[in-house]
Amino acid sequence: MKKDVRILLVGEPRVGKTSLIMSLVSEEFPEEVPPRAEEITIPADVTPERVPTHIVDYSGKDYTVYKIGLSIPLFLKLLTFSFGVVFRLPLILVGNKSDLVEYSSMETILPIMNQYTEIETCVECSAKNLKNISELFYYAQKAVLHPTGPLYCPEEKEMKPACIKALTRIFRISDQDNDGTLNDAELNFFQRICFNTPLAPQALEDVKNVVRKNLSDGVADNGLTLKGFLFLHTLFIQRGRHETTWTVLRRFGYDDDLELTPEYLFPLLKIPPDCTTELNHHAYLFLQSIFDKHDLDRDCALSPDELKDLFKVFPYMPWGPDVNNTVCTNERGWITYQGFLSQWTLTTYLDVQRCLEYLGYLGYSILAEQESQASAITVTRDKKIDLQKKQTQRNVFRCNVIGMKGCGKSGVLQALLGRNLIRQRQIRAEHKSYYAINTVYVYGQEKYLLLHDVSDSEFLTDAETICDAVCLVYDVSNPKSFEYCARIFKQHFMDSRIPCLVVAAKSDLHEVRQEYSISPAEFCRKHKMPPPQAFTCNTVDVPSKDIFVKLTTMAMYPWVKMVNSLDELGAMLLADEESSIMQQVHAVNFVEDSIFMESSLGPRLLEDRHVTQADLKSSTFWLRASFGATVFAVLGFAMYKALLKQR
């Protein structure tokens, strides 16, 4: 809705423009009329639309586009060219001084109105008799706030394509079960979010009965179809109730040109330096409902047709074929539930503005009843605080994968998605993705690991070195492969606090001596890194996830310098008396919350993650046992130190 309205009165001299303004203000006809009235402002609280209205009087001396003596059609042609075309302003044709004639001029005026589509309406009035004065300015205000032009074509007597397109998107968003109709619950929700009041049961039936009488397929299974929904709005417009349709359009983010506004698509979201963006719990629940809505065959994956149906509310297809090689898919190459959430997590992390835009197309703020899409985003705290407190609240960790061409980086990325070499060979070169994201469990906590294949590592920018962990990949069968990793490490990461892991890829092949001054194992010991991790994706089943657990663990605990195994990391964390108990409590609480969430989200989510209730109960038992053992060990160590001090 516009913040204010400006109404400009134009016309030939002595037609009564100034008298109309003065009669409106004083509610009586002025005996003396000045050459021009000063601009007046009508406060919002006294206007029907609750919008401040400014009324401006233009005299003949100021307005030079027309000349005295022009006929109305020619005068209108100049006006519509000057205002309608250039400034795209709605026009109202006013027949003043109706007190001087004994007949109505509407029969003469209506053909002219039909000829010029820029004219919203025609009004006969009299400044002397105060006839239709307030109505005139109300219609003018309404023409600005609720214009007919973008919605309806009088010649064709039907809505314009842009209006149909916008209302179709609104219908699809409101059809929350995706059955092609708006049932009573959906209609009531729609009515409440648009007009702040539900419809009474009888009112609902009356609406549907009106549609039934006029449209054979407007109601199906006692629900309003898309055709019925569009018919209702056509009826509103034809009966002069444009404000009803405009209220709906603006509630769903549309402007006067029927385009989604930047304020709707890109709400303000401040992201301080060294902070990242993640989806919160409410956003994941919303995305789960979107997935369920379009997974019509209930196979926990979106087929190409189902995905296309999901994105019908978008002005373009946002995901390309590379997405299928970025996240988990089923055997048919369809994006799974886990892959769907992973892709949204990736978009949020890499380009939060695009994520806000996408959520806007899906109607997040409307369906979730939030002020904007920004409420779906969590901005993490500065990473330096995590390092100081030796604890992180992040759920998404970025790992840059670096190595010379052909060393096996792509294999590492695809292995994170559970694909062995056979499945990787099916990927077309033009559909290759330089990102891969999936969930990884670390000490019972589910985290997202985001791998980024940094293709041109020779010329890393400062931005490309910002990550939570680094995976240095070399080919055990290529003698020149490790030297590349060593050089990149010394150049960019040796003096940083970013943990690095060396991966000996293609470990199924014959290992050759690397042409470097020291062996990879010695290099890792010298720089206090974990030893090289043997890795291959040339397996019969799913490749091992050990290196991904290690990378995620190192990203979560970057203050621990050298880790030879997960057990060693656990021991080192337990030795830290300030954080060990808190870490274990956090882990137990997190998993218990996760178990609660898993059970509440239904069996299909458990199936997708291959987690059974028995597994969850067992995990809870061992986590509680681990927590008890941790507390006992820490207390025992504290008592031991106290005894030593006494001696």
Side-chain angles (χ1 to χ4, degrees):
M1 183 73 73
K2 291 180 180 292
K3 294 183 179 180
D4 60 2
V5 172
R6 296 185 67 82
I7 300 173
L8 174 67
L9 276 72
V10 297
E12 297 176 357
R14 308 186 67 82
V15 295
K17 304 185 300 297
T18 307
S19 298
L20 287 171
I21 297 174
M22 298 187 72
S23 294
L24 174 71
V25 174
S26 62
E27 296 185 350
E28 62 180 11
F29 183 69
E31 295 296 334
E32 295 184 7
V33 181
R36 176 184 174 186
E38 296 295 326
E39 178 178 332
I40 67 167
T41 299
I42 303 175
D45 56 354
V46 299
T47 63
E49 299 292 341
R50 299 293 175 181
V51 176
T53 302
H54 310 277
I55 301 177
V56 182
D57 181 13
Y58 260 51
S59 68
K61 294 180 180 179
D62 297 316
Y63 193 70
T64 58
V65 173
Y66 63 91
K67 296 180 180 179
I68 298 174
L70 290 179
S71 65
I72 287 180
L74 182 56
F75 173 66
L76 283 173
K77 185 173 290 186
L78 287 171
L79 280 184
T80 54
F81 176 79
S82 300
F83 293 103
V85 176
V86 178
F87 300 106
R88 304 177 68 182
L89 299 176
L91 300 175
I92 291 182
L93 188 58
V94 180
N96 193 23
K97 301 185 181 183
S98 63
D99 58 290
L100 299 181
V101 295
E102 297 180 355
Y103 58 88
S104 173
S105 61
M106 296 305 292
E107 292 183 3
T108 307
I109 296 299
L110 285 176
I112 299 174
M113 178 181 173
N114 293 331
Q115 182 181 352
Y116 296 94
T117 57
E118 296 85 355
I119 301 175
E120 289 283 331
T121 189
C122 300
V123 183
E124 280 188 346
C125 61
S126 168
K128 186 173 184 178
N129 294 343
L130 304 182
K131 175 186 175 182
N132 289 338
I133 302 299
S134 59
E135 288 82 357
L136 158 65
F137 290 99
Y138 168 69
Y139 290 141
Q141 187 186 57
K142 187 177 178 181
V144 175
L145 299 176
H146 313 299
T148 308
L151 306 182
Y152 190 74
C153 180
E155 295 86 356
E156 304 294 333
K157 295 184 179 180
E158 60 184 24
M159 283 192 294
K160 290 186 175 180
C163 183
I164 294 174
K165 181 180 178 182
L167 290 174
T168 300
R169 171 182 168 267
I170 292 171
F171 178 88
R172 289 191 172 119
I173 290 173
S174 304
D175 181 15
Q176 298 183 46
D177 57 8
N178 202 27
D179 66 348
T181 65
L182 298 183
N183 58 38
D184 287 358
E186 291 166 341
L187 280 170
N188 257 319
F189 180 81
F190 173 83
Q191 175 76 11
R192 181 168 59 81
I193 61 172
C194 290
F195 304 100
N196 299 316
T197 179
L199 283 171
Q202 186 57 49
L204 274 174
E205 286 305 313
D206 291 343
V207 168
K208 286 185 282 189
N209 286 334
V210 169
V211 176
R212 285 191 186 99
K213 290 178 182 178
N214 292 274
L215 205 64
S216 60
D217 53 353
V219 178
D221 298 326
N222 205 34
L224 197 64
T225 65
L226 174 59
K227 286 185 177 180
F229 184 73
L230 295 176
F231 168 78
L232 271 182
H233 282 281
T234 303
L235 202 60
F236 290 145
I237 296 168
Q238 289 174 342
R239 293 182 178 180
R241 293 177 55 188
H242 313 85
E243 63 273 14
T244 301
T245 301
W246 274 116
T247 299
V248 171
L249 289 166
R250 290 188 173 116
R251 178 66 181 89
F252 280 78
Y254 289 94
D255 62 12
D256 288 354
D257 297 320
L258 298 183
E259 298 287 344
L260 292 172
T261 66
E263 293 78 14
Y264 172 79
L265 290 177
F266 306 104
L268 182 63
L269 182 66
K270 294 182 179 180
I271 307 169
D274 294 325
C275 297
T276 59
T277 46
E278 301 177 358
L279 293 169
N280 60 32
H281 171 64
H282 298 289
Y284 281 119
L285 287 179
F286 172 77
L287 292 171
Q288 180 202 352
S289 69
I290 294 295
F291 184 94
D292 289 341
K293 173 180 176 177
H294 295 278
D295 182 20
L296 300 179
D297 55 8
R298 297 293 181 260
D299 64 346
C300 291
L302 294 178
S303 68
D305 288 339
E306 289 172 339
L307 200 61
K308 185 178 179 181
D309 184 58
L310 189 154
F311 288 129
K312 279 184 178 178
V313 295
F314 284 58
Y316 55 86
M317 186 66 178
W319 293 359
D322 60 311
V323 172
N324 295 60
N325 301 316
T326 306
V327 299
C328 291
T329 58
N330 63 10
E331 296 77 11
R332 305 177 71 174
W334 299 353
I335 295 175
T336 63
Y337 171 77
Q338 183 58 45
F340 182 75
L341 295 185
S342 296
Q343 178 62 26
W344 279 94
T345 303
L346 175 70
T347 305
T348 307
Y349 187 94
L350 296 179
D351 190 350
V352 70
Q353 290 299 315
R354 179 161 294 185
C355 176
L356 292 172
E357 178 188 0
Y358 290 175
L359 288 172
Y361 292 140
L362 290 173
Y364 173 82
S365 61
I366 292 103
L367 296 178
E369 298 187 72
Q370 298 292 327
E371 185 176 346
S372 73
Q373 296 87 265
S375 63
I377 308 299
T378 294
V379 179
T380 65
R381 69 186 182 188
D382 193 319
K383 192 174 180 180
K384 290 190 287 290
I385 299 176
D386 287 352
L387 292 171
Q388 291 170 1
K389 293 182 176 292
K390 295 186 177 181
Q391 189 179 31
T392 184
Q393 298 172 337
R394 300 187 182 197
N395 292 310
V396 185
F397 298 94
R398 175 172 180 160
C399 173
N400 284 351
V401 182
I402 296 174
M404 69 183 301
K405 187 176 181 180
C407 69
K409 291 180 297 177
S410 298
V412 172
L413 266 66
Q414 293 302 309
L416 176 65
L417 308 178
R419 295 170 184 155
N420 58 22
L421 192 60
I422 296 175
R423 287 191 64 184
Q424 291 178 28
R425 286 172 176 167
Q426 299 172 2
I427 299 174
R428 297 168 61 177
E430 61 269 26
H431 297 165
K432 178 183 177 181
S433 174
Y434 290 95
Y435 290 95
I437 183 170
N438 200 0
T439 53
V440 177
Y441 283 88
V442 176
Y443 297 126
Q445 302 180 50
E446 184 186 60
K447 303 293 182 181
Y448 280 97
L449 178 62
L450 190 168
L451 298 182
H452 177 208
D453 179 355
V454 183
S455 57
D456 192 4
S457 308
E458 291 280 7
F459 305 99
L460 286 179
T461 64
D462 291 339
E464 289 174 327
T465 61
I466 298 174
C467 55
D468 300 301
V470 175
C471 180
L472 297 166
V473 182
Y474 76 96
D475 179 357
V476 299
S477 65
N478 183 347
K480 300 182 182 296
S481 186
F482 180 73
E483 186 275 335
Y484 182 95
C485 294
R487 177 159 40 85
I488 293 296
F489 173 81
K490 287 184 175 182
Q491 185 177 355
H492 295 285
F493 302 106
M494 186 168 67
D495 298 324
S496 73
R497 302 184 69 176
I498 301 174
C500 298
L501 184 70
V502 175
V503 172
K506 304 182 183 180
S507 60
D508 58 302
L509 302 178
H510 175 67
E511 184 172 1
V512 299
R513 180 184 177 86
Q514 294 294 317
E515 295 178 2
Y516 192 67
S517 57
I518 57 177
S519 68
E522 291 172 338
F523 183 89
C524 291
R525 280 196 298 271
K526 179 180 178 181
H527 295 285
K528 297 183 179 180
M529 290 191 293
Q533 308 293 305
F535 173 80
T536 180
C537 54
N538 189 12
T539 58
V540 176
D541 299 318
V542 175
S544 171
K545 290 191 175 183
D546 286 350
I547 65 167
F548 307 122
V549 176
K550 285 183 171 66
L551 286 168
T552 310
T553 305
M554 294 167 67
M556 289 174 64
Y557 307 105
W559 50 87
V560 180
K561 268 297 181 185
M562 181 175 179
V563 184
N564 291 321
S565 67
L566 292 178
D567 293 335
E568 182 178 338
L569 174 61
M572 294 178 73
L573 291 173
L574 290 176
D576 187 348
E577 294 181 72
E578 295 182 359
S579 64
S580 62
I581 294 180
M582 293 304 298
Q583 292 287 349
Q584 292 293 331
V585 170
H586 178 70
V588 173
N589 289 341
F590 184 95
V591 174
E592 288 183 338
D593 290 343
S594 298
I595 292 169
F596 173 77
M597 284 301 302
E598 296 281 4
S599 60
S600 66
L601 291 180
R604 62 177 296 190
L605 180 55
L606 295 179
E607 288 176 14
D608 189 60
R609 295 182 182 172
H610 306 290
V611 179
T612 64
Q613 290 293 338
D615 293 333
L616 292 173
K617 291 178 180 178
S618 176
S619 299
T620 308
F621 171 79
W622 286 112
L623 281 168
R624 290 182 179 277
S626 173
F627 174 62
T630 301
V631 174
F632 180 79
V634 173
L635 291 176
F637 183 68
M639 292 177 63
Y640 173 71
K641 288 206 303 183
L643 289 172
L644 285 179
K645 287 181 180 179
Q646 289 178 358
R647 291 183 182 180

